[in-house]
C-alpha cells in the first residue's frame, strides 16, 4: 500500500508493457479475398449467393447458415446506392485502423440498406446533423488512393443523393 498526500492508503498498481506490432499479413481466404479484390480492382461490392435458397450472403460465406450447404461461386454485384436505416453521430476523435488517419470529427456512421437488400455499416459524407435523416438516400464514394484493397474500407463514405 502506498500513502497519498491526502493520507489515504491506496494499492500500488503494477504495469505491464505490451508492444503491439502494427504491420501484419493474413490470408483473407477465397470468399473475402474475392470481395477485397473486386473493391480494389473494380470498385465493386460483390457477394455470393447460396446455391440452394439463393440468399445473398454478405459478407461472402463458404457455407450458407440457413441451408448448411456450401454456398459456392454464384457471385453477384451489389448496389452502391441505398437508404440510411439508422445512424450514429460520433463526436469522439478516433483513428481509422485501416488507414492510420484520424477520422473527421464529428462524423456520422450509418447502417445502410443497399438497394438489393444487403445491410452495410459505413460512414456518411454529410456531417451537418440537421441534414441527417433516417430514410435519406446515399451512394458509395470510393477512395482514390485505395490501392491496399481493404474491402469496404476502400469506400471513403456514402454521399447523399437526391433522386
Ligand atoms: Zn441457403
Amino acid at each position: 500500500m502506498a500513502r497519498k498526500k491526502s493520507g489515504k492508503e491506496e494499492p500500488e498498481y503494477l504495469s505491464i508493457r505490451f508492444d503491439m506490432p502494427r504491420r501484419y499479413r493474413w490470408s483473407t481466404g477465397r470468399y473475402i479475398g474475392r470481395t477485397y479484390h473486386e473493391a480494389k480492382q473494380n470498385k465493386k461490392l460483390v457477394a455470393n449467393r447460396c446455391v440452394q435458397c439463393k440468399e445473398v450472403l454478405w459478407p461472402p460465406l463458404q457455407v450458407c447458415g440457413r441451408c448448411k450447404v456450401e454456398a459456392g461461386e454464384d457471385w453477384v454485384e451489389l448496389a452502391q446506392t441505398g437508404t440510411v436505416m439508422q445512424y450514429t453521430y460520433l463526436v469522439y476523435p478516433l483513428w481509422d485502423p485501416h488507414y492510420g488517419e484520424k477520422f473527421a470529427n464529428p462524423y456520422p456512421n450509418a447502417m445502410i440498406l443497399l438497394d438489393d437488400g444487403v445491410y452495410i455499416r459505413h460512414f456518411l459524407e454529410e456531417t451537418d446533423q440537421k441534414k441527417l435523416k433516417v430514410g435519406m438516400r446515399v451512394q458509395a464514394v470510393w477512395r482514390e488512393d485505395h490501392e491496399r484493397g481493404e474491402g469496404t474500407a476502400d469506400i471513403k463514405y456514402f454521399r447523399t443523393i437526391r433522386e
Side-chain angles (χ1 to χ4, degrees), residues 50 52-53 64 66-67:
C50 173
Q52 193 166 307
C53 70
C64 174
R66 180 183 297 167
C67 306

Side-chain angles (χ1 to χ4, degrees), residues 13-149:
Y13 294 106
L14 299 177
S15 63
I16 300 171
R17 184 179 172 135
F18 178 68
D19 294 328
M20 179 186 269
R22 294 191 54 144
R23 298 222 173 259
Y24 54 92
R25 289 173 166 242
W26 75 96
S27 171
T28 56
R30 194 165 88 204
Y31 294 91
I32 298 297
R34 172 84 181 251
T35 302
Y36 280 28
H37 175 81
E38 289 291 340
K40 179 180 178 182
Q41 299 296 321
N42 304 316
K43 297 183 180 183
K44 290 180 180 176
L45 293 171
V46 296
N48 61 339
R49 266 195 309 210
C50 173
V51 292
Q52 193 166 307
C53 70
K54 303 298 181 193
E55 175 86 15
V56 173
L57 305 172
W58 174 258
L61 296 170
Q62 185 172 358
V63 175
C64 174
R66 180 183 297 167
C67 306
K68 313 292 189 259
V69 298
E70 188 155 340
E73 301 279 342
D74 182 13
W75 291 93
V76 292
E77 183 179 346
L78 300 179
Q80 296 194 21
T81 54
T83 304
V84 171
M85 303 305 287
Q86 174 271 340
Y87 66 88
T88 303
Y89 192 73
L90 296 148
V91 293
Y92 189 80
L94 290 174
W95 291 90
D96 181 344
H98 289 278
Y99 286 90
E101 303 161 355
K102 233 176 184 175
F103 288 127
N105 189 17
Y107 58 97
N109 188 277
M111 182 61 75
I112 300 161
L113 178 59
L114 298 179
D115 290 344
D116 39 28
V118 170
Y119 283 94
I120 184 172
R121 177 164 285 288
H122 218 291
F123 302 106
L124 300 177
E125 178 187 37
E126 181 59 67
T127 57
D128 184 345
Q129 212 167 357
K130 293 173 192 151
K131 294 180 180 173
L132 295 171
K133 303 259 184 293
V134 168
M136 64 193 280
R137 298 281 297 150
V138 291
Q139 180 169 23
V141 174
W142 293 83
R143 291 178 167 273
E144 290 305 316
D145 59 343
H146 73 292
E147 295 174 353
R148 292 165 51 180

